[in-house]
Amino acid sequence: MASNLWSEEQFICPVCLEILKDPVAIPCGHSYCLGCIKNYWDNTDHTGVYSCPQCRETFTPRPVLCKNTMLAEVVERLKKTGPNPPPAQSCAGPGDVPCDFCTGRKLKAVKSCLTCLASYCETHVKSHSEVTTLKKHKLIDATGNLEKLLCSEHQKILEVFCRTDQTCICLLCADEEHKSHDTLPAEKERSGKQKQLGETQMEIELRIQKKLKEVDELKQAVESLKISAQRDIKESEKIFTKLIESIEKIQSEVIELIGANEKASVNQAEELMKKLQQEIVQLRRRDAELKQLSEIEDHIHYLQNFKSLCAPPEAGVLPSVTVNSDISFGAVMKAVCELKDNIENFCEKELVSITKTVNEVAVYSLESPEPRTRAEFLKYSCQLTLDPNTAYRELCLSEGNRKVTLREDTQPYPDHPERFYSWYQVLCEEGLSGTRCYWEIEWSGGWAYIGVTYKGISRKGEDVSCCLGFNDKSWSLFCSSSTYTFWHNNNKTAITAPCTSRIGVYLDFNAGISFYGISGDTMTLLHRFQTTFTEPLYPGFRLFSDSTVEICQLN
């Protein structure tokens, strides 16, 4: 029996959640440890109102506490029988909301009451389901800072949302200072926001999936780069090894050539020296005979031998030898040095090209997001000037070649292969490529075409294929006081938008071209043509009667 009573927690103090010590019963019938209820009421002495921590019944004056001896005897007997421990509850840790009614160790709150403005653990919250008056209280999942849920002015629960001021208010606020505002129950506003939240979550999820895909692609690209790099390193090593072998072969051939030439020349010289030595021996022998003849006293003998001995010596076997006193292989060394210099210069030049090619290999590319505000567009502004060599002869350039006006009188422009001879057109000097560029145009008069073109647009034809937007080499926006039309490759796209005299042109070489109507700092997208350009683009204009176009200075 004692075990059943204990399991129903009838002898557990609702404040300390331990077995009752010096149990007392207060007027509403609930029992507490004498020390627990005393400390609880001590904290409310300043109000003069004392309540039950469970049922919230109030008492005035403070009830006199007396130990319940019968209940104390039962508790003592239960202690001796070794009752089962109470159900385990978690103590409040960092980040948890503590129970406001636990003394000593604070248990984790599971619910917060918006009426009581207090948080309760599993044990202390039971009174809200057992006591009739507490059942009407609004419970929510445990949360801290309950004061934030109250109106700072009226100390009432915030349960209305003011759309006009975008803030949460109480019912009194809704009837007073927010009476003429657009208000609705917070729950209804939450349901509307929930849809928006869902869309935001979906967008975030899509972005997460996109980023995860980019991570996977990046991983694959890194692996591919590693494989490609190792493969190319090995192939480069093979190529350079062969190149080194070729140079070593040339080195060996040059050394062998010099050695062979040296050997042949030395052999020839030694053979020549041998023959010269033999001739010297013969001449010395003849000289000795002549000396001996000159010393003979017998005239008859002298005369008899004179003819044979004094005959002119026979011509030498060898012609006269001219020795090169500055003999060397300097010319060969000069040729070898030139070869070295040529190879080094070639390698340096090719290394620059190879380095540029290697640096262009990238695992990823980070592109800045497309600009949205005029201030962001202006970061890409570029300086443009009109090219007089392209201007039709009735177009007058002024303002430092930034303004063009159609005149009736012919301008004294010289002949030039890039001049337009049949249409009122002019191009800018600057070719734009490989980057983002932005410029603005002020136009007035009847009509005007504002566009860009590749340099290869025809200049002398009389048909419309020479006009901006009427061929596959150009893109243009037709502007009038009442309408816009985009042209490319002789195909037009009608545009519905308010007409302005200021046009912004945004060029992304890798994404396409966009035209904007400018009014102050407000930009209205008129048309965007998506493409990837393959050649430098030249901004250009086509004018009609009394038309003027001026390139705006943005810096």
Side-chain angles (χ1 to χ4, degrees):
M1 183 65 180
S3 177
N4 290 336
L5 289 173
W6 181 260
S7 64
E8 295 173 1
E9 302 179 8
Q10 294 185 9
F11 300 99
I12 295 296
C13 174
V15 176
C16 67
L17 301 179
E18 296 182 358
I19 193 167
L20 292 167
K21 299 175 183 178
D22 298 328
V24 295
I26 62 177
C28 64
H30 291 108
S31 299
Y32 298 91
C33 296
L34 177 61
C36 291
I37 192 64
K38 182 178 181 299
N39 291 335
Y40 182 76
W41 282 347
D42 286 346
N43 292 329
T44 59
D45 266 343
H46 65 285
T47 65
V49 178
Y50 307 92
S51 63
C52 172
Q54 284 189 275
C55 66
R56 294 291 178 173
E57 184 176 345
T58 59
F59 316 104
T60 305
R62 176 171 177 166
V64 177
L65 299 174
C66 297
K67 181 177 179 180
N68 190 324
T69 56
M70 181 182 295
L71 185 58
E73 291 177 1
V74 175
V75 170
E76 288 300 320
R77 285 200 300 270
L78 288 174
K79 288 181 179 179
K80 294 177 181 179
T81 59
N84 296 323
Q89 295 190 56
S90 301
C91 291
D96 293 330
V97 178
C99 175
D100 292 324
F101 288 88
C102 288
T103 59
R105 61 172 186 171
K106 294 283 187 177
L107 297 183
K108 179 180 177 181
V110 295
K111 292 291 182 180
S112 295
C113 178
L114 295 180
T115 306
C116 303
L117 292 180
S119 299
Y120 301 88
C121 63
E122 290 182 358
T123 300
H124 288 131
V125 80
K126 287 182 178 180
S127 59
H128 279 73
S129 60
E130 296 171 352
V131 180
T132 303
T133 56
L134 298 182
K135 289 181 180 179
K136 298 179 180 180
H137 291 189
K138 186 173 182 180
L139 295 177
I140 61 174
D141 290 336
T143 180
N145 298 324
L146 288 170
E147 294 78 8
K148 291 184 177 180
L149 302 178
L150 291 180
C151 172
S152 59
E153 182 177 353
H154 302 107
Q155 298 301 307
K156 298 292 184 180
I157 298 174
L158 300 173
E159 48 187 329
V160 178
F161 184 79
C162 177
R163 286 182 169 178
T164 304
D165 294 337
Q166 291 293 302
T167 186
C168 294
I169 58 176
C170 69
L171 290 173
L172 288 178
C173 291
D175 290 336
E176 295 177 0
E177 59 263 34
H178 295 264
K179 187 174 182 179
S180 61
H181 293 182
D182 181 12
T183 61
L184 73 167
E187 184 177 355
K188 187 174 181 180
E189 176 67 14
R190 159 73 183 271
S191 63
K193 297 289 188 183
Q194 194 69 19
K195 181 180 179 182
Q196 182 180 348
L197 180 65
E199 293 174 351
T200 303
Q201 288 177 310
M202 184 177 295
E203 181 181 352
I204 291 175
E205 181 62 29
L206 291 174
R207 291 181 64 181
I208 291 173
Q209 295 302 322
K210 181 181 178 182
K211 298 303 178 184
L212 289 174
K213 182 180 178 182
E214 291 175 355
V215 169
D216 290 337
E217 291 175 348
L218 195 57
K219 287 180 179 178
Q220 295 177 8
V222 168
E223 291 302 318
S224 177
L225 179 69
K226 288 180 179 179
I227 295 172
S228 176
Q230 292 303 316
R231 181 183 64 245
D232 290 348
I233 287 174
K234 291 181 180 179
E235 290 300 319
S236 297
E237 288 176 345
K238 291 180 181 178
I239 292 172
F240 280 107
T241 298
K242 291 181 179 179
L243 180 60
I244 292 171
E245 290 175 352
S246 298
I247 293 175
E248 289 177 343
K249 182 179 179 182
I250 295 174
Q251 177 190 16
S252 176
E253 290 178 353
V254 171
I255 293 174
E256 184 179 346
L257 179 63
I258 294 174
N261 184 278
E262 175 196 13
K263 184 177 180 181
S265 297
V266 169
N267 289 339
Q268 291 176 0
E270 289 178 346
E271 183 67 25
L272 180 60
M273 284 189 294
K274 183 179 178 181
K275 292 180 179 180
L276 288 173
Q277 290 291 348
Q278 291 175 352
E279 189 170 340
I280 290 171
V281 170
Q282 293 176 359
L283 290 172
R284 284 179 175 172
R285 185 184 304 115
R286 179 74 175 275
D287 181 63
E289 291 176 348
L290 290 174
K291 184 176 180 181
Q292 185 179 2
L293 177 62
S294 66
E295 294 176 352
I296 294 176
E297 295 180 356
D298 186 346
H299 302 300
I300 299 301
H301 181 72
Y302 177 89
L303 293 173
Q304 288 177 342
N305 292 286
F306 176 82
K307 183 178 181 179
S308 60
L309 292 177
C310 286
E314 297 179 359
V317 178
L318 297 176
S320 177
V321 176
T322 301
V323 178
N324 184 1
S325 60
D326 193 24
I327 188 170
S328 71
F329 287 93
V332 177
M333 291 309 301
K334 181 179 179 182
V336 171
C337 289
E338 289 177 354
L339 174 62
K340 177 185 77 72
D341 294 339
N342 290 336
I343 292 176
E344 288 179 349
N345 292 336
F346 177 79
C347 289
E348 288 179 2
K349 181 180 179 181
E350 291 303 311
L351 181 60
V352 172
S353 176
I354 292 171
T355 301
K356 181 180 179 181
T357 304
V358 171
N359 290 337
E360 289 175 352
V361 178
V363 177
Y364 63 91
S365 61
L366 292 177
E367 292 188 0
S368 302
E370 184 170 331
R372 296 183 179 181
T373 65
R374 187 164 179 265
E376 292 177 352
F377 278 101
L378 291 176
K379 294 178 181 178
Y380 300 99
S381 62
C382 59
Q383 297 292 336
L384 299 176
T385 52
L386 299 170
D387 185 359
N389 291 329
T390 66
Y392 183 78
R393 282 201 168 96
E394 292 182 10
L395 295 179
C396 177
L397 306 186
S398 59
E399 302 295 333
N401 288 346
R402 288 186 297 102
K403 184 176 181 179
V404 55
T405 304
L406 180 58
R407 298 278 182 85
E408 293 183 358
D409 52 325
T410 301
Q411 303 299 311
Y413 297 134
D415 288 340
H416 197 280
E418 294 185 1
R419 187 173 310 287
F420 289 100
Y421 283 93
S422 300
W423 298 95
Y424 306 138
Q425 297 186 143
V426 61
L427 303 183
C428 290
E429 293 182 351
E430 295 78 11
L432 309 176
S433 66
T435 184
R436 294 177 173 186
C437 299
Y438 177 75
W439 61 97
E440 292 181 359
I441 304 300
E442 282 281 356
W443 74 276
S444 61
W447 303 331
Y449 282 85
I450 299 170
V452 295
T453 181
Y454 292 147
K455 194 169 186 177
I457 188 174
S458 179
R459 314 295 175 114
K460 294 185 178 182
E462 295 184 357
D463 57 83
V464 293
S465 64
C466 299
C467 298
L468 291 171
F470 288 77
N471 49 69
D472 61 357
K473 294 181 174 61
S474 60
W475 298 257
S476 70
L477 180 73
F478 169 76
C479 305
S480 73
S481 59
S482 59
T483 186
Y484 294 113
T485 307
F486 175 77
W487 287 87
H488 172 63
N489 203 17
N490 205 20
N491 294 317
K492 66 178 181 178
T493 302
I495 300 170
T496 302
C499 293
T500 63
S501 61
R502 196 178 186 100
I503 302 296
V505 185
Y506 174 65
L507 173 65
D508 187 333
F509 203 78
N510 297 316
I513 187 169
S514 303
F515 296 90
Y516 292 86
I518 309 297
S519 178
D521 286 331
T522 302
M523 301 183 63
T524 302
L525 177 63
L526 302 177
H527 187 74
R528 175 182 287 116
F529 187 86
Q530 295 181 329
T531 187
T532 299
F533 299 107
T534 58
E535 301 176 29
L537 290 164
Y538 293 82
F541 312 99
R542 177 183 169 199
L543 280 65
F544 290 83
S545 178
D546 299 326
S547 295
T548 297
V549 170
E550 182 174 0
I551 303 170
C552 302
Q553 286 188 322
L554 301 179
N555 295 330

